[in-house]
Amino acid sequence: MTHQATQPWWKEGVIYQIYPRSFMDSTGDGIGDLEGIRQRLPHLVDLGVDAIWISPIFPSPMKDAGYDVADYCDIDPLFGSLEDFERLSAAVKDAGLKLLLDFVPSHSSDQHPWFLEARQSRDADKRDWYIWRDPLPDGSPPTNWISEFAGSTWTFHPETGQYYLHVFLPEQPALNWRNPELRAAMYDVMRFWFDRGVDGFRVDALENLMPNPDLGDNPPNPDWVESMGPARSHLPVNIKHQPEILAAGRDMRSVANEYDPERLLVGEIYGTTEQLMKYYGENHDAFQLPFNFLLIEAVWQAEPLAGMIRAYEAALPEGAWPNWVLGNHDRPRIASRIGAGRARLAAMLLLTLRGTPTMYQGDELGMENVPIPPEAVQDPWERNVPGQGLGRDPVRTPIAWETGPGAGFTTGTPWLPIDPRPEVAVETQQADPHSMLAFHKALLALRKREKALTLGDLTGVDATGEVLHYRRTHQGRTLAVALNLGETAAPCPGTGDCLISTHGTTTGDLAPGEGRVLAQ
Ligand code: NOJ
């Protein structure tokens, strides 16, 4: 009996999210593009990540920064062309990296030809590709549901006398995944990109794939406070995590399995750990990696973190591969959430836990949220609910490649302001062996060298005072990780050679905010 000689790449790999509008602009229009990504690939190779996931690049009216797709099988001119995509895809392969795209199945743009046709009449061919309901007798919307970006999830279409559903903006009508033709069309979209060499997808907003209006109103949320935003004022029980999503997930996986090697499906799912685990599929036949966002919501103290890690590991179905995410284009930057002084600690945690890590672009530079003046706001969420900190522009600002005007990102006017501090620029950090960038490179290189950090078991997850510690073991080699989350120096649990430290100190007490990896 031979057992599988190699693991799929994504078990040992690190995924790096590219937010294409803000990575690199090659045309001078102030917005990043595919050719820009191609030009900057050396940064990623040098950094040592294994795969890139690019947020949506498809034709879009850009009401939600591309998450409103008007054609699933083309490239928006803002980002380039299909030829540019082919060139980028080839360059990514040449660089030894994998390429993931963003698949946005739960809604299209209201400018998608499917929706334009569906809204023609009640018996239009594609009417049922979207979710329509009659008004209540008093003319009001069919349910009390509130959209993620505020307002009702229902918009009335006077020409045909019905409401259509949208979990996000009115310009993002919900696709009806209960319609088999729609499902088939979406599976063809996946094949379109797989046939072009794409290694997988990050699948958007999965918990919203099959809202069920027939279940009626959502109950009020007794724990709601205004800062949660309007959508959280009700418990979205009839919108999210409907059980039928799993069958669609299995179908998506079957499409991914038509290819050799099988393609990767990463699911974007916000929910409880129990809900999340279902997305692996009962027989591991759905998503290989349902995104685990626990670190995004975490309390950064040793004991709660240890408990959270243990609980996640314990909840994993047998044989399911874990994953961890520190940040993305929707949530405040890690360096702003926990303080710039703690960002290295967070990176060490992300890159030494068991499971596939996903990094968000710019976190390798310690980028922080950038304040956005009201006149520069782009995000529809901030426009709809201003001043409550819900807007996502501050985490989406362009990378500063160099210091000076345009920051090497653009020769034009950037679509969002760029952090002007020289210390966050790539060129500054490249020249500094103690920079955040240098630290990330060293950590990623260590991860590559030490199988214990990728394939190793995870044991002894615990807190001693404010020091979080655990061990990773593979084929007799054990590494110990110790992270001091406290405000005072603390003894370093465990002995052994220090392989890397956030602070560069290799012996003695751990300074506040210091983390070390030790070989035992
Ligand atoms: C999740 C995406 O990450 C977010 O940016 C987007 O607004 C919603 N899904 C809707 O597609």
Side-chain angles (χ1 to χ4, degrees):
M1 276 287 284
T2 52
H3 71 151
Q4 205 186 356
T6 50
Q7 299 283 347
W9 66 265
W10 46 266
K11 288 197 174 175
E12 292 178 74
V14 175
I15 301 173
Y16 179 98
Q17 179 189 356
I18 292 188
Y19 195 67
R21 301 177 76 88
S22 290
F23 197 66
M24 175 68 201
D25 169 24
S26 74
T27 62
D29 67 356
I31 298 179
D33 46 53
L34 298 184
E35 172 57 16
I37 298 175
R38 197 184 66 81
Q39 291 172 6
R40 294 294 187 185
L41 283 179
H43 171 72
L44 302 176
V45 173
D46 197 36
L47 179 60
V49 295
D50 302 278
I52 56 175
W53 144 40
I54 309 179
S55 283
I57 49 178
F58 317 108
S60 165
M62 301 289 167
K63 298 290 180 195
D64 184 22
Y67 283 94
D68 47 324
V69 179
D71 180 350
Y72 286 99
C73 299
D74 205 347
I75 302 292
D76 194 286
L78 209 53
F79 298 121
S81 61
L82 269 177
E83 289 69 42
D84 293 317
F85 174 80
E86 304 277 353
R87 206 171 307 123
L88 171 62
S89 168
V92 169
K93 285 209 166 32
D94 286 349
L97 302 174
K98 305 288 183 191
L99 176 58
L100 309 180
L101 292 185
D102 214 312
F103 182 43
V104 190
S106 92
H107 48 272
S108 72
S109 159
D110 65 344
Q111 298 307 305
H112 195 295
W114 298 343
F115 188 72
L116 298 180
E117 190 185 327
R119 69 178 193 191
Q120 287 302 314
S121 76
R122 288 191 183 206
D123 0 282
D125 256 9
K126 295 199 168 56
R127 181 73 169 181
D128 189 50
W129 287 31
Y130 294 85
I131 301 174
W132 302 87
R133 287 292 183 277
D134 291 335
L136 294 182
D138 68 354
S140 60
T143 64
N144 68 348
W145 299 357
I146 296 169
S147 119
E148 287 295 320
F149 298 142
S152 172
T153 57
W154 297 98
T155 290
F156 190 61
H157 184 245
E159 292 82 349
T160 57
Q162 286 189 309
Y163 283 92
Y164 68 88
L165 181 71
H166 49 88
V167 176
F168 296 92
L169 296 172
E171 293 90 349
Q172 293 169 296
L175 287 162
N176 179 14
W177 275 76
R178 291 185 174 80
N179 179 301
E181 285 174 24
L182 176 275
R183 285 204 301 272
M186 293 304 274
Y187 301 145
D188 281 345
V189 168
M190 297 175 74
R191 292 186 186 101
F192 178 89
W193 293 108
F194 287 153
D195 289 341
R196 278 159 187 76
V198 165
D199 297 290
F201 285 111
R202 173 270 194 187
V203 185
D204 184 69
L206 257 176
E207 74 273 19
N208 299 301
L209 198 66
M210 295 218 184
N212 189 349
D214 299 336
L215 297 177
D217 284 352
N218 282 326
N221 177 359
D223 302 323
W224 183 71
V225 288
E226 205 183 348
S227 60
M228 292 175 171
R232 297 285 93 80
S233 65
H234 288 71
L235 299 170
V237 290
N238 297 333
I239 298 180
K240 298 181 191 292
H241 299 290
Q242 298 305 302
E244 303 94 309
I245 299 174
L246 256 295
R250 280 196 299 273
D251 288 351
M252 288 182 200
R253 179 64 174 279
S254 301
V255 176
N257 288 358
E258 289 167 12
Y259 294 81
D260 184 22
E262 70 172 24
R263 304 306 201 242
L264 174 64
L265 296 182
V266 183
E268 190 212 25
I269 300 134
Y270 285 94
T272 63
T273 300
E274 195 191 337
Q275 286 168 331
L276 185 67
M277 296 305 167
K278 296 207 163 43
Y279 290 80
Y280 282 104
E282 272 182 21
N283 302 301
H284 301 289
D285 51 5
F287 297 87
Q288 291 101 322
L289 298 177
F291 260 150
N292 160 17
F293 294 127
L294 285 168
L295 287 176
I296 289 188
E297 312 275 341
V299 177
W300 285 79
Q301 290 164 5
E303 187 53 57
L305 278 177
M308 186 192 82
I309 296 162
R310 285 192 303 255
Y312 173 75
E313 282 276 343
L316 281 169
E318 169 116 31
W321 190 251
N323 77 90
W324 295 92
V325 183
L326 211 47
N328 59 34
H329 63 293
D330 293 327
R331 298 300 168 115
R333 289 257 180 206
I334 182 67
S336 299
R337 289 205 310 272
I338 65 171
R342 295 293 155 97
R344 287 178 191 227
L345 204 67
M348 188 175 267
L349 179 64
L350 174 75
L351 294 170
T352 59
L353 279 173
R354 194 175 81 95
T356 306
T358 299
M359 297 174 52
Y360 178 48
Q361 82 176 32
D363 282 352
E364 78 276 24
L365 305 167
M367 279 178 75
E368 295 176 41
N369 294 348
V370 176
I372 308 294
E375 66 280 6
V377 166
Q378 305 281 333
D379 185 10
W381 203 353
E382 180 66 27
R383 289 210 202 104
N384 287 356
V385 194
Q388 291 195 20
L390 297 170
R392 299 163 296 176
D393 293 329
V395 303
R396 297 177 173 181
T397 62
I399 299 247
W401 296 98
E402 297 159 12
T403 53
F409 165 74
T410 184
T411 53
T413 307
W415 75 289
L416 279 176
I418 304 179
D419 190 334
R421 293 173 305 151
E423 62 266 29
V424 291
V426 175
E427 86 175 336
T428 314
Q429 297 202 17
Q430 272 170 342
D432 174 5
H434 304 295
S435 66
M436 183 69 157
L437 180 59
F439 173 68
H440 269 89
K441 283 188 206 174
L443 199 51
L444 284 158
L446 180 69
R447 208 176 179 277
K448 228 162 227 142
R449 277 199 309 277
E450 295 282 359
K451 290 267 179 207
L453 291 180
T454 49
L455 299 176
D457 294 342
L458 172 72
T459 53
V461 181
D462 218 339
T464 304
E466 269 313 309
V467 178
L468 169 69
H469 48 94
Y470 47 88
R471 288 185 300 277
R472 304 292 314 276
T473 304
H474 184 69
Q475 296 181 342
R477 170 104 165 142
T478 295
L479 302 187
V481 182
L483 307 162
N484 182 7
L485 290 127
E487 301 296 333
T488 54
C492 184
T495 50
D497 291 341
C498 179
L499 302 180
I500 189 168
S501 157
T502 52
H503 287 42
T505 45
T506 56
T507 55
D509 283 355
L510 291 167
E514 181 176 2
R516 286 183 202 151
V517 180
L518 309 166
Q520 300 205 306

PDB file of all heavy atoms in Angstrom, residues 158-172:
ATOM      1  N   PRO A 158     -41.715  48.495 -10.394  1.00  0.00           N
ATOM      2  CA  PRO A 158     -43.102  48.886 -10.738  1.00  0.00           C
ATOM      3  C   PRO A 158     -43.584  48.289 -12.061  1.00  0.00           C
ATOM      4  O   PRO A 158     -44.745  47.911 -12.184  1.00  0.00           O
ATOM      5  CB  PRO A 158     -43.053  50.415 -10.827  1.00  0.00           C
ATOM      6  CG  PRO A 158     -41.683  50.835 -10.460  1.00  0.00           C
ATOM      7  CD  PRO A 158     -40.813  49.638 -10.256  1.00  0.00           C
ATOM      8  N   GLU A 159     -42.679  48.151 -13.044  1.00  0.00           N
ATOM      9  CA  GLU A 159     -43.104  47.673 -14.365  1.00  0.00           C
ATOM     10  C   GLU A 159     -43.715  46.274 -14.299  1.00  0.00           C
ATOM     11  O   GLU A 159     -44.605  45.946 -15.090  1.00  0.00           O
ATOM     12  CB  GLU A 159     -41.921  47.662 -15.348  1.00  0.00           C
ATOM     13  CG  GLU A 159     -41.400  49.049 -15.732  1.00  0.00           C
ATOM     14  CD  GLU A 159     -40.430  49.627 -14.695  1.00  0.00           C
ATOM     15  OE1 GLU A 159     -40.313  49.061 -13.570  1.00  0.00           O
ATOM     16  OE2 GLU A 159     -39.821  50.671 -14.996  1.00  0.00           O
ATOM     17  N   THR A 160     -43.216  45.435 -13.414  1.00  0.00           N
ATOM     18  CA  THR A 160     -43.778  44.081 -13.324  1.00  0.00           C
ATOM     19  C   THR A 160     -44.504  43.855 -11.990  1.00  0.00           C
ATOM     20  O   THR A 160     -44.968  42.746 -11.719  1.00  0.00           O
ATOM     21  CB  THR A 160     -42.682  43.002 -13.513  1.00  0.00           C
ATOM     22  OG1 THR A 160     -41.666  43.220 -12.532  1.00  0.00           O
ATOM     23  CG2 THR A 160     -42.079  43.051 -14.895  1.00  0.00           C
ATOM     24  N   GLY A 161     -44.577  44.880 -11.149  1.00  0.00           N
ATOM     25  CA  GLY A 161     -45.414  44.811  -9.946  1.00  0.00           C
ATOM     26  C   GLY A 161     -44.929  43.853  -8.881  1.00  0.00           C
ATOM     27  O   GLY A 161     -45.725  43.424  -8.038  1.00  0.00           O
ATOM     28  N   GLN A 162     -43.660  43.522  -8.902  1.00  0.00           N
ATOM     29  CA  GLN A 162     -43.132  42.627  -7.855  1.00  0.00           C
ATOM     30  C   GLN A 162     -41.855  43.215  -7.238  1.00  0.00           C
ATOM     31  O   GLN A 162     -41.214  44.086  -7.839  1.00  0.00           O
ATOM     32  CB  GLN A 162     -42.807  41.247  -8.435  1.00  0.00           C
ATOM     33  CG  GLN A 162     -44.036  40.409  -8.731  1.00  0.00           C
ATOM     34  CD  GLN A 162     -43.672  38.972  -9.101  1.00  0.00           C
ATOM     35  OE1 GLN A 162     -42.832  38.753  -9.965  1.00  0.00           O
ATOM     36  NE2 GLN A 162     -44.322  38.007  -8.452  1.00  0.00           N
ATOM     37  N   TYR A 163     -41.552  42.707  -6.075  1.00  0.00           N
ATOM     38  CA  TYR A 163     -40.276  43.034  -5.437  1.00  0.00           C
ATOM     39  C   TYR A 163     -39.219  42.009  -5.834  1.00  0.00           C
ATOM     40  O   TYR A 163     -39.533  40.829  -5.993  1.00  0.00           O
ATOM     41  CB  TYR A 163     -40.400  42.972  -3.910  1.00  0.00           C
ATOM     42  CG  TYR A 163     -41.090  44.147  -3.269  1.00  0.00           C
ATOM     43  CD1 TYR A 163     -42.467  44.119  -3.044  1.00  0.00           C
ATOM     44  CD2 TYR A 163     -40.367  45.260  -2.849  1.00  0.00           C
ATOM     45  CE1 TYR A 163     -43.108  45.189  -2.416  1.00  0.00           C
ATOM     46  CE2 TYR A 163     -41.001  46.328  -2.221  1.00  0.00           C
ATOM     47  CZ  TYR A 163     -42.367  46.292  -2.001  1.00  0.00           C
ATOM     48  OH  TYR A 163     -42.979  47.350  -1.376  1.00  0.00           O
ATOM     49  N   TYR A 164     -37.967  42.456  -5.983  1.00  0.00           N
ATOM     50  CA  TYR A 164     -36.873  41.484  -6.109  1.00  0.00           C
ATOM     51  C   TYR A 164     -35.972  41.579  -4.870  1.00  0.00           C
ATOM     52  O   TYR A 164     -35.888  42.621  -4.218  1.00  0.00           O
ATOM     53  CB  TYR A 164     -36.060  41.671  -7.404  1.00  0.00           C
ATOM     54  CG  TYR A 164     -35.238  42.930  -7.480  1.00  0.00           C
ATOM     55  CD1 TYR A 164     -33.932  42.985  -6.980  1.00  0.00           C
ATOM     56  CD2 TYR A 164     -35.757  44.081  -8.079  1.00  0.00           C
ATOM     57  CE1 TYR A 164     -33.166  44.128  -7.060  1.00  0.00           C
ATOM     58  CE2 TYR A 164     -35.002  45.245  -8.157  1.00  0.00           C
ATOM     59  CZ  TYR A 164     -33.716  45.259  -7.636  1.00  0.00           C
ATOM     60  OH  TYR A 164     -32.966  46.413  -7.703  1.00  0.00           O
ATOM     61  N   LEU A 165     -35.322  40.476  -4.586  1.00  0.00           N
ATOM     62  CA  LEU A 165     -34.509  40.358  -3.370  1.00  0.00           C
ATOM     63  C   LEU A 165     -33.053  40.737  -3.630  1.00  0.00           C
ATOM     64  O   LEU A 165     -32.494  40.402  -4.676  1.00  0.00           O
ATOM     65  CB  LEU A 165     -34.561  38.902  -2.863  1.00  0.00           C
ATOM     66  CG  LEU A 165     -33.782  38.615  -1.580  1.00  0.00           C
ATOM     67  CD1 LEU A 165     -34.468  39.240  -0.366  1.00  0.00           C
ATOM     68  CD2 LEU A 165     -33.622  37.110  -1.362  1.00  0.00           C
ATOM     69  N   HIS A 166     -32.476  41.425  -2.658  1.00  0.00           N
ATOM     70  CA  HIS A 166     -31.023  41.687  -2.692  1.00  0.00           C
ATOM     71  C   HIS A 166     -30.527  41.732  -1.260  1.00  0.00           C
ATOM     72  O   HIS A 166     -30.969  42.534  -0.457  1.00  0.00           O
ATOM     73  CB  HIS A 166     -30.704  43.001  -3.411  1.00  0.00           C
ATOM     74  CG  HIS A 166     -31.531  44.156  -2.945  1.00  0.00           C
ATOM     75  ND1 HIS A 166     -31.155  44.936  -1.891  1.00  0.00           N
ATOM     76  CD2 HIS A 166     -32.725  44.626  -3.365  1.00  0.00           C
ATOM     77  CE1 HIS A 166     -32.089  45.863  -1.687  1.00  0.00           C
ATOM     78  NE2 HIS A 166     -33.062  45.690  -2.551  1.00  0.00           N
ATOM     79  N   VAL A 167     -29.607  40.833  -0.933  1.00  0.00           N
ATOM     80  CA  VAL A 167     -29.084  40.785   0.431  1.00  0.00           C
ATOM     81  C   VAL A 167     -28.106  41.942   0.657  1.00  0.00           C
ATOM     82  O   VAL A 167     -27.903  42.398   1.776  1.00  0.00           O
ATOM     83  CB  VAL A 167     -28.403  39.423   0.695  1.00  0.00           C
ATOM     84  CG1 VAL A 167     -27.766  39.362   2.079  1.00  0.00           C
ATOM     85  CG2 VAL A 167     -29.431  38.298   0.545  1.00  0.00           C
ATOM     86  N   PHE A 168     -27.537  42.427  -0.450  1.00  0.00           N
ATOM     87  CA  PHE A 168     -26.606  43.557  -0.356  1.00  0.00           C
ATOM     88  C   PHE A 168     -27.286  44.783  -0.988  1.00  0.00           C
ATOM     89  O   PHE A 168     -28.420  45.079  -0.642  1.00  0.00           O
ATOM     90  CB  PHE A 168     -25.249  43.178  -0.994  1.00  0.00           C
ATOM     91  CG  PHE A 168     -24.587  42.044  -0.238  1.00  0.00           C
ATOM     92  CD1 PHE A 168     -24.781  40.714  -0.602  1.00  0.00           C
ATOM     93  CD2 PHE A 168     -23.799  42.299   0.880  1.00  0.00           C
ATOM     94  CE1 PHE A 168     -24.205  39.672   0.119  1.00  0.00           C
ATOM     95  CE2 PHE A 168     -23.216  41.256   1.616  1.00  0.00           C
ATOM     96  CZ  PHE A 168     -23.416  39.950   1.229  1.00  0.00           C
ATOM     97  N   LEU A 169     -26.655  45.451  -1.953  1.00  0.00           N
ATOM     98  CA  LEU A 169     -27.242  46.661  -2.537  1.00  0.00           C
ATOM     99  C   LEU A 169     -28.400  46.317  -3.473  1.00  0.00           C
ATOM    100  O   LEU A 169     -28.435  45.215  -4.039  1.00  0.00           O
ATOM    101  CB  LEU A 169     -26.184  47.403  -3.358  1.00  0.00           C
ATOM    102  CG  LEU A 169     -24.969  47.974  -2.626  1.00  0.00           C
ATOM    103  CD1 LEU A 169     -23.956  48.499  -3.643  1.00  0.00           C
ATOM    104  CD2 LEU A 169     -25.409  49.087  -1.680  1.00  0.00           C
ATOM    105  N   PRO A 170     -29.318  47.266  -3.721  1.00  0.00           N
ATOM    106  CA  PRO A 170     -30.352  47.029  -4.743  1.00  0.00           C
ATOM    107  C   PRO A 170     -29.727  46.710  -6.108  1.00  0.00           C
ATOM    108  O   PRO A 170     -30.332  46.019  -6.927  1.00  0.00           O
ATOM    109  CB  PRO A 170     -31.103  48.361  -4.806  1.00  0.00           C
ATOM    110  CG  PRO A 170     -30.832  49.028  -3.492  1.00  0.00           C
ATOM    111  CD  PRO A 170     -29.469  48.562  -3.037  1.00  0.00           C
ATOM    112  N   GLU A 171     -28.503  47.203  -6.314  1.00  0.00           N
ATOM    113  CA  GLU A 171     -27.816  46.925  -7.595  1.00  0.00           C
ATOM    114  C   GLU A 171     -27.174  45.540  -7.604  1.00  0.00           C
ATOM    115  O   GLU A 171     -26.441  45.204  -8.531  1.00  0.00           O
ATOM    116  CB  GLU A 171     -26.739  47.985  -7.854  1.00  0.00           C
ATOM    117  CG  GLU A 171     -27.284  49.370  -8.106  1.00  0.00           C
ATOM    118  CD  GLU A 171     -27.444  50.185  -6.825  1.00  0.00           C
ATOM    119  OE1 GLU A 171     -27.322  49.608  -5.713  1.00  0.00           O
ATOM    120  OE2 GLU A 171     -27.706  51.403  -6.939  1.00  0.00           O
ATOM    121  N   GLN A 172     -27.422  44.746  -6.555  1.00  0.00           N
ATOM    122  CA  GLN A 172     -26.874  43.376  -6.466  1.00  0.00           C
ATOM    123  C   GLN A 172     -28.013  42.370  -6.246  1.00  0.00           C
ATOM    124  O   GLN A 172     -28.102  41.750  -5.176  1.00  0.00           O
ATOM    125  CB  GLN A 172     -25.855  43.283  -5.313  1.00  0.00           C
ATOM    126  CG  GLN A 172     -24.599  44.103  -5.541  1.00  0.00           C
ATOM    127  CD  GLN A 172     -23.735  44.206  -4.283  1.00  0.00           C
ATOM    128  OE1 GLN A 172     -24.151  44.783  -3.277  1.00  0.00           O
ATOM    129  NE2 GLN A 172     -22.538  43.667  -4.328  1.00  0.00           N
TER     130      GLN A 172
END
